[in-house]
Amino acid sequence: MSVRNQSSEQPAGTLHRAGFACFVGRPNAGKSTLTNALVGKKVAITSNRPQTTRHTVRGIVHRPDAQLILVDTPGLHKPRTLLGERLNDVVRTTWAEVDVIGFCLPANEKLGPGDRFIAKELSGIKKTPKVAVVTKTDLVDSKALAEQLIAIDQLGKELGIEWAEIIPVSAVGDRQVDLLADLLVPMLPEGPALYPEGDLTDEPEQVMVAELIREAALEGVRDELPHSIAVVVEEMLPREDRPADRPLLDIHANIYIERPSQKGIIIGPKGRRLKDVGIKSRKQIEALLGTPVFLDLHVKVAKDWQRDPKQLRKLGF
């Protein structure tokens, strides 16, 4: 079992590499937080609610010797709705196209049926190197971590998966995040950079803005709501007649829920919750776009959209 727990240096004079890595794992295994930590900026939405990632976000890590493009996928799970099936299809398509797969397993939760389900799927992909990334190590002591590392090694042996590496990390505590990048880079093909130096993601801005609004809307809502929220940015336009030194971007967005009864939960008493969602997401959007924003939010009902192919298309799935 190869467990990495110390710093590694890239030898001088190595060739430039560029390629794609994807993080997989069951919902809420820390994939989005890890993507953001590696990129050094928020490009994937994070939430303490499972199953919040719905788009394949590419985060781009620029290094002198390499460009590592991180593809963040939804958590693979046993689907209960048409949306669930589509999210699983996104995951499998992504796995087939990347240069290395990072399987995220939280240090603070024993391996369960969900992890085994994914590992089984991974065992069918023969050529792509697989790295077991043990996330959330800041939440456990060294004994629990050692037990988890052994369990992951054992899982690989049972299913015929040869881990290229097993590495414990903490994205929140910034432990071994750089080492993870050091280990992934040699598995990428040699080649020039695929994206310009300053780019951190290839997600369209409107999609990222919608995701930030959805993240703010997910905070503090009841358990039944996370899957029921979708956000569509209808338009983003610079306000006319503004002086050049005081630009303002008008953003009009709709928050969709599945049932009229959910509307009150999102809006809150006297509209306070929706106002909070607006304030929180506006700060994040201004930081992302680097410009002052006027954010206009409306809550609409799209009945049972997770099960309706027409509604799914309209909402971008």
Side-chain angles (χ1 to χ4, degrees), residues 200-263:
L200 296 177
T201 179
D202 71 350
E203 272 284 24
E205 282 180 348
Q206 275 185 236
V207 172
M208 291 188 72
V209 166
E211 289 288 88
L212 290 171
I213 295 167
R214 195 163 69 90
E215 179 178 41
L218 279 171
E219 267 181 47
V221 293
R222 281 186 229 156
D223 288 352
E224 74 270 17
L225 226 56
H227 309 303
S228 308
I229 297 175
V231 177
V232 176
V233 173
E234 298 296 339
E235 59 176 19
M236 278 171 52
L237 294 168
R239 175 108 27 120
E240 288 178 13
D241 307 325
R242 294 283 292 193
D245 60 341
R246 285 182 52 233
L248 186 67
L249 187 66
D250 284 318
I251 298 177
H252 300 276
N254 292 327
I255 299 173
Y256 288 95
I257 37 110
E258 292 196 295
R259 295 188 297 281
S261 61
Q262 296 170 335
K263 217 168 174 176

Side-chain angles (χ1 to χ4, degrees), residues 90-313:
V90 168
V91 178
R92 290 192 186 96
T93 309
T94 306
W95 291 4
E97 294 169 353
V98 295
D99 302 299
V100 56
I101 296 170
F103 183 14
C104 294
L105 300 127
N108 63 328
E109 293 171 39
K110 285 206 170 2
L111 299 187
D115 300 311
R116 199 165 282 278
F117 172 69
I118 294 165
K120 238 181 200 137
E121 295 253 343
L122 283 178
S123 67
I125 301 167
K126 295 299 178 203
K127 287 183 181 156
T128 314
K130 295 160 209 65
V131 174
V133 185
V134 188
T135 58
K136 308 186 185 186
T137 57
D138 53 302
L139 301 179
V140 296
D141 60 22
S142 53
K143 182 175 178 286
L145 179 58
E147 283 168 7
Q148 187 73 324
L149 294 170
I150 291 163
I152 290 165
D153 184 47
Q154 201 53 48
L155 178 69
K157 288 195 171 96
E158 270 173 48
L159 296 173
I161 300 171
E162 196 176 319
W163 303 119
E165 301 280 358
I166 299 177
I167 174 168
V169 301
S170 166
V172 174
D174 196 22
R175 291 184 206 154
Q176 305 226 117
V177 173
D178 287 342
L179 174 59
L180 174 60
D182 290 346
L183 297 177
L184 294 174
V185 163
M187 299 177 200
L188 305 178
E190 287 172 10
L194 301 168
Y195 289 93
E197 178 62 42
D199 287 10
L200 296 177
T201 179
D202 71 350
E203 272 284 24
E205 282 180 348
Q206 275 185 236
V207 172
M208 291 188 72
V209 166
E211 289 288 88
L212 290 171
I213 295 167
R214 195 163 69 90
E215 179 178 41
L218 279 171
E219 267 181 47
V221 293
R222 281 186 229 156
D223 288 352
E224 74 270 17
L225 226 56
H227 309 303
S228 308
I229 297 175
V231 177
V232 176
V233 173
E234 298 296 339
E235 59 176 19
M236 278 171 52
L237 294 168
R239 175 108 27 120
E240 288 178 13
D241 307 325
R242 294 283 292 193
D245 60 341
R246 285 182 52 233
L248 186 67
L249 187 66
D250 284 318
I251 298 177
H252 300 276
N254 292 327
I255 299 173
Y256 288 95
I257 37 110
E258 292 196 295
R259 295 188 297 281
S261 61
Q262 296 170 335
K263 217 168 174 176
I265 299 172
I266 291 288
I267 294 170
K270 296 185 175 168
R272 279 201 294 271
R273 231 196 133 261
L274 187 63
K275 193 177 173 189
D276 272 359
V277 170
I279 290 165
K280 274 185 187 143
S281 55
R282 196 186 75 238
K283 278 185 187 153
Q284 298 269 11
I285 293 162
E286 289 181 339
L288 173 76
L289 303 177
T291 183
V293 161
F294 171 79
L295 184 58
D296 176 40
L297 292 180
H298 294 271
V299 181
K300 298 192 170 188
V301 179
K303 198 170 175 331
D304 291 331
W305 65 263
Q306 291 190 69
R307 290 171 174 79
D308 179 346
K310 212 164 110 192
Q311 300 265 30
L312 280 171
R313 271 198 304 279

Side-chain angles (χ1 to χ4, degrees), residues 67-83:
Q67 192 175 71
L68 173 65
I69 299 133
L70 300 166
V71 184
D72 180 38
T73 58
L76 194 75
H77 61 299
K78 286 201 166 65
R80 293 190 305 276
T81 61
L82 182 60
L83 172 66

